[in-house]
């Protein structure tokens, strides 16, 4: 076993996170850079330090999960989603998987409120408890709220000094739960799964398994919405077919 493979095994024992399911070159580069920056020359040295130092571990978790997000990320896709949801004509059961700090599920909540389709709470999950805490707080700085239309900002956020707090009306539409896409059970009976900008980090084999599990989790006619760099080239889509760029619908 090479040193990075050994590190991945030790990391799994410490955290339960299986790094072998993520694309190795990017992960190895990112984590080796971080290790070097912190002054550890080998992975065994680094792992010993990680066991003793919570801040070092938090930093590593941050690096491996990449939590960047935006409200209404890729706005043209959201216009398309709005049209598909309106055509569904019912209040959808929604899962925002790998939701990071809440921008995505809150965007969904605002969209559903706008469409008058907000009956069921949105399930929003992520592997990283620290981002989920930030998501629950729902407080964002100026650069983070740039993607939000002024009209929505006025109605769904409270200005507090130079920060913006999501209003309770939107917050209570979203339920945040810790969930690991690689090992935990998936919720079922969904009409919309939004899983964006995380599948790119997984190996093709893992991506295929997740795709199949998403497909079983969807109701007939349900939609899977993925990130704007994510493609399923050469993968078996099962009963999903493309309905719009980066959106797939399960056969009715
Ligand atoms: C780049 S963010 C995507 C945020 C949001 N979906 C978006 O597109 O703006 C990727 C998120 O995936 C989460 N993640 C990474 N591995 C995961 C796993 N195995 N299960 C669930 N979430 C995971 C990370 O914690 C991070 O918050």
């Amino acid at each position: 076993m090479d040193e990075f493979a050994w590190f991945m095994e030790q990391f799994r024992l410490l955290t339960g996170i299986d790094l072998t399911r993520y694309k190795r070159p990017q992960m190895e580069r990112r984590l080796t850079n971080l290790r070097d920056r912190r002054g550890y020359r080998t992975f065994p040295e680094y792992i010993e330090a990680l066991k003793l130092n919570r801040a070092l571990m938090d930093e590593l978790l941050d690096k491996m999960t990449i939590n960047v997000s935006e409200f209404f990320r890729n706005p043209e896709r959201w216009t398309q989603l709005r049209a598909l949801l309106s055509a569904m004509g019912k209040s959808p059961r929604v899962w925002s998987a790998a939701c990071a700090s809440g921008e995505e599920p809150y965007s969904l909540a605002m969209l559903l409120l706008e469409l008058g389709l907000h009956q069921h709470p949105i399930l929003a999950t992520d592997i990283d408890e620290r981002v989920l805490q930030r998501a629950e707080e729902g407080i964002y700085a100026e650069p983070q709220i740039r993607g939000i239309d002024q009209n929505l900002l006025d109605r769904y956020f409270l200005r507090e000094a130079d920060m913006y707090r999501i209003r309770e009306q939107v917050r209570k539409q979203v339920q945040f739960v810790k969930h690991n896409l690689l090992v935990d059970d998936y919720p079922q009976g969904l009409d919309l799964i939004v899983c964006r900008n995380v599948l790119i980090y997984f190996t093709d084999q893992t991506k295929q398994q997740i795709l199949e599990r998403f497909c079983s989790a969807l109701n007939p006619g349900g939609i899977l919405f993925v990130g704007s760099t994510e493609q399923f080239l050469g993968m078996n889509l099962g009963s999903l077919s493309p309905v719009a760029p980066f959106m797939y619908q399960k056969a009715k």
Side-chain angles (χ1 to χ4, degrees):
M1 194 189 294
D2 63 66
E3 196 180 292
F4 191 68
W6 175 88
F7 171 77
M8 289 194 287
E9 178 57 15
Q10 298 300 310
F11 186 75
R12 193 182 59 75
L13 294 172
L14 269 182
T15 63
I17 299 172
D18 183 0
L19 293 178
T20 62
R21 313 271 307 264
Y22 294 75
K23 284 182 193 149
R24 175 159 169 168
Q26 290 98 315
M27 188 60 82
E28 185 167 0
R29 197 173 335 111
R30 247 182 295 136
L31 300 192
T32 307
N33 283 342
L34 186 65
R35 181 202 73 187
D36 291 349
R37 277 213 307 280
R38 291 294 159 259
Y40 301 97
R41 284 170 302 115
T42 64
F43 277 109
E45 261 181 55
Y46 191 37
I47 217 78
E48 284 315 308
L50 288 168
K51 284 181 190 161
L52 301 171
N53 185 337
R54 183 70 223 182
L56 202 64
M57 177 59 97
D58 283 348
E59 181 190 50
L60 172 60
L61 287 170
D62 252 359
K63 210 48 183 188
M64 69 129 301
T65 52
I66 314 180
N67 321 113
V68 277
S69 191
E70 283 167 38
F71 284 94
F72 300 99
R73 194 168 189 174
N74 313 111
E76 65 290 3
R77 301 276 95 83
W78 288 80
T79 309
Q80 185 69 54
L81 179 66
R82 188 188 178 105
L84 288 170
L85 287 174
S86 307
M88 229 179 234
K90 64 168 183 176
S91 168
R93 295 204 176 264
V94 182
W95 178 23
S96 167
C99 67
S101 35
E103 290 88 336
E104 182 179 279
Y106 288 139
S107 301
L108 288 162
M110 286 187 271
L111 178 60
L112 293 181
L113 283 165
E114 289 298 291
L115 292 171
L117 296 174
H118 59 285
Q119 219 163 303
H120 309 293
I122 293 166
L123 175 65
T125 64
D126 200 280
I127 195 176
D128 184 343
E129 275 168 278
R130 287 151 317 130
V131 276
L132 288 175
Q133 255 169 31
R134 293 216 309 268
E136 296 242 22
E137 280 166 13
I139 301 172
Y140 300 94
E142 182 86 48
Q144 295 165 284
I145 51 95
R146 276 192 199 133
I148 308 172
D149 179 271
Q150 188 62 44
N151 188 21
L152 294 183
L153 195 60
D154 293 342
R155 272 185 300 132
Y156 296 127
F157 287 80
L158 284 167
R159 181 100 197 239
E160 293 179 352
D162 52 355
M163 304 298 274
Y164 294 79
R165 178 194 289 274
I166 197 95
R167 282 184 196 266
E168 191 49 27
Q169 180 197 10
V170 186
R171 226 214 60 77
K172 70 177 188 208
Q173 298 298 326
V174 184
Q175 186 195 9
F176 292 100
V177 177
K178 184 179 175 190
H179 181 277
N180 181 346
L181 283 164
L182 303 177
V183 293
D184 292 328
D185 288 341
Y186 285 18
Q188 300 293 311
L190 299 160
D191 302 302
L192 172 65
I193 298 175
V194 181
C195 183
R196 310 187 69 211
N197 306 299
V198 65
L199 297 175
I200 35 164
Y201 301 116
F202 297 129
T203 61
D204 280 354
Q205 191 191 5
T206 296
K207 213 160 43 166
Q208 176 72 56
Q209 286 164 1
I210 293 178
L211 193 59
E212 284 163 21
R213 297 183 74 193
F214 279 157
C215 187
S216 326
L218 284 170
N219 286 328
I223 290 163
L224 170 64
F225 176 21
V226 299
S228 289
T229 55
E230 285 160 332
Q231 284 175 331
F232 298 121
L233 287 177
M235 301 223 164
N236 179 0
L237 289 176
S239 53
L240 293 172
S241 30
V243 271
F246 307 103
M247 292 186 202
Y248 299 83
Q249 187 166 37
K250 184 167 170 176
K252 288 187 184 155

